[in-house]
Each structure stands twice: as structure tokens, then as C-alpha cells.
Amino acid sequence: MEVRAVSEKMQWKLFWLVVVLGLSGSPVWSRASAPEESRVAISVHNDAGIPTRILLSAEEEASRVFRQSGIEVHWLNCPLPANGPEDPAQCETADFPAHLQLRIAKHSRNLNGFTLGISYLSADGSGCYADLFYKRVEEMHESSQVSLASILGHGVAHEIGHLLLGTNSHADTGIMRARWQSGELASVGKGALFFSSIQSREMRSKLAAWRTHGRNDSQIAAAWLGD
């Protein structure tokens, strides 16, 4: 009986080890697991003069959000150093959906004060350019006490999400909700505001199917967060 009990204990230990190992790799996409077609480059123009440590932390937050969706982000903080490993000309590259442009301004010139960001989409739902407004980030930080980097990073993910998802991409819940209330900000503070599985699959599919696109700039639609 004692030998059998020990054997059963060993079996259960092995069983739970297998379960833990299986769970640890299933819900989150790692850097190594993101295929080449599920990667996007983003040129960031810091017109608001955000301190480097906050900007880099925000980019890591946004990367973590996208990594949960199986997408890896390569950030280019512009202007790039002339003697760096990357070509400074990449800062101006706009190639939907593989290379996008994000400009962080101090505030909006013509939108209401509650708008956190805006993305620009053509008539066919494609777009490479998005703006984010740091003053609104600061206001949300002061009212919620959620860190600046967390709010900024999730705001960046939201606007880039608009570019990758296209028109009518606001949702009732999650990171793509149009207006972030206290619940969304609490989730931001916990690092628990993400894209849905359907949104994640759509973004990966669009990146995987990427080919050279014809451009149609005759009509521009705008999707914004916070209005």
C-alpha cells in the first residue's frame, strides 16, 4: 500500500507538471513565436517632448498588449541617430500595414479636450498615420493615478489598433472601447486591457496577407479615442 501511494503521488506530480508547462506557453505569444508576417514597425515622433524613460516604458506596455495578440512591434524612435544600425530614412516610411507612423503631440489643435488620440483612415479602411495627445494622458493620469506610461502605452495600442483593424473598429468592451471609463482605466493600471480574440485574429490576418496596396486618398475617415 505504501509503495502504491508513493507511485500515485508521483503520477499526480507528473500530471500537474505537464499541465503547468502546457498552460505557461498557451495564452501569451512570445517574441520567438511571432512569425515574420505578424510583425509591424512603428515610427514614433515625440513632438510632445516626453521624457525618454516614460516613452520607452509606454512602448513596452504597447508591445505587451500586441504580444498578447500574437503581434510583435518594432519601434523606431525618430529621428534615428545617423550612426545607428538602422537607416534614418525609415522614420518617414509609411507602408500599410507593415510600417506605421505615430506622432505624439502635446495637445490637439481642433478636437475637443477629451480626445486622447486619432487615427487617419482612407476610404478603403487602410491608413498609416495616427496622432496621440499627451496633455490628455496627463489629465487621465492625474484623475485616476494610473501611471503615465501605462495610459500612454495603451492609448498607443488603441490608435495603432484602429490602423490595423480599419473603419468601425470601436468595440463595446476592451481596449477598442471608444470612451475609457473608470473600469477601463482600472484594467490599464492592472495591465489587463487587451484586444479581443477576434480583433487579434483580424490584425494578424491583415499583416499575414500584406501585399503591395494601391492607395486611395480621395476620402479620409478619422477614428478617435475619448470623444
Side-chain angles (χ1 to χ4, degrees):
M1 293 292 293
E2 185 177 349
V3 173
R4 181 180 177 183
V6 171
S7 177
E8 288 177 349
K9 287 180 180 179
M10 289 298 296
Q11 289 175 358
W12 277 108
K13 286 181 179 179
L14 289 173
F15 169 77
W16 284 113
L17 177 61
V18 171
V19 169
V20 169
L21 289 174
L23 289 176
S24 65
S26 58
V28 179
W29 293 66
S30 68
R31 179 181 296 268
S33 67
E36 185 67 31
E37 62 268 21
S38 294
R39 298 179 184 178
V40 59
I42 301 175
S43 294
V44 180
H45 305 269
N46 182 14
D47 292 357
I50 302 169
T52 300
R53 62 178 180 80
I54 294 179
L55 181 60
L56 294 179
S57 182
E59 290 172 352
E60 180 53 39
E61 280 288 290
S63 289
R64 186 180 58 81
V65 171
F66 278 110
R67 199 171 294 127
Q68 183 77 12
S69 294
I71 296 171
E72 197 65 37
V73 180
H74 176 54
W75 302 96
L76 296 168
N77 290 308
C78 302
L80 292 171
N83 58 349
E86 292 152 326
D87 183 358
Q90 291 183 72
C91 273
E92 305 306 320
T93 299
D95 194 359
F96 176 82
H99 197 134
L100 307 176
Q101 294 279 331
L102 173 70
R103 188 168 301 278
I104 306 177
K106 185 62 179 177
H107 56 79
S108 169
R109 294 182 178 180
N110 52 14
L111 299 174
N112 72 52
F114 295 102
T115 302
L116 178 59
I118 182 170
S119 55
Y120 300 92
L121 306 174
S122 65
D124 65 357
S126 64
C128 292
Y129 297 91
D131 294 341
L132 209 69
F133 309 120
Y134 193 60
K135 182 179 179 180
R136 182 56 181 151
V137 173
E138 293 176 316
E139 292 171 347
M140 294 171 74
H141 160 67
E142 291 171 2
S143 64
S144 67
Q145 298 305 305
V146 176
S147 76
L148 284 167
S150 293
I151 296 175
L152 179 60
H154 286 77
V156 167
H158 177 103
E159 293 307 328
I160 297 301
H162 274 306
L163 297 181
L164 293 177
L165 291 168
T167 53
N168 301 317
S169 50
H170 276 140
D172 293 333
T173 60
I175 198 168
M176 292 309 295
R177 183 171 179 175
R179 282 193 173 192
W180 289 356
Q181 306 293 346
S182 58
E184 283 74 35
L185 286 173
S187 294
V188 168
K190 297 174 183 177
L193 195 65
F194 296 110
F195 295 98
S196 70
S197 58
I198 294 176
Q199 292 163 346
S200 300
R201 184 165 58 249
E202 184 176 345
M203 290 188 294
R204 292 197 308 271
S205 176
K206 190 168 293 186
L207 286 167
W210 172 63
R211 296 291 185 272
T212 302
H213 289 274
R215 297 184 62 188
N216 181 0
D217 296 331
S218 59
Q219 295 180 344
I220 298 293
W224 55 87
L225 168 63
D227 187 20

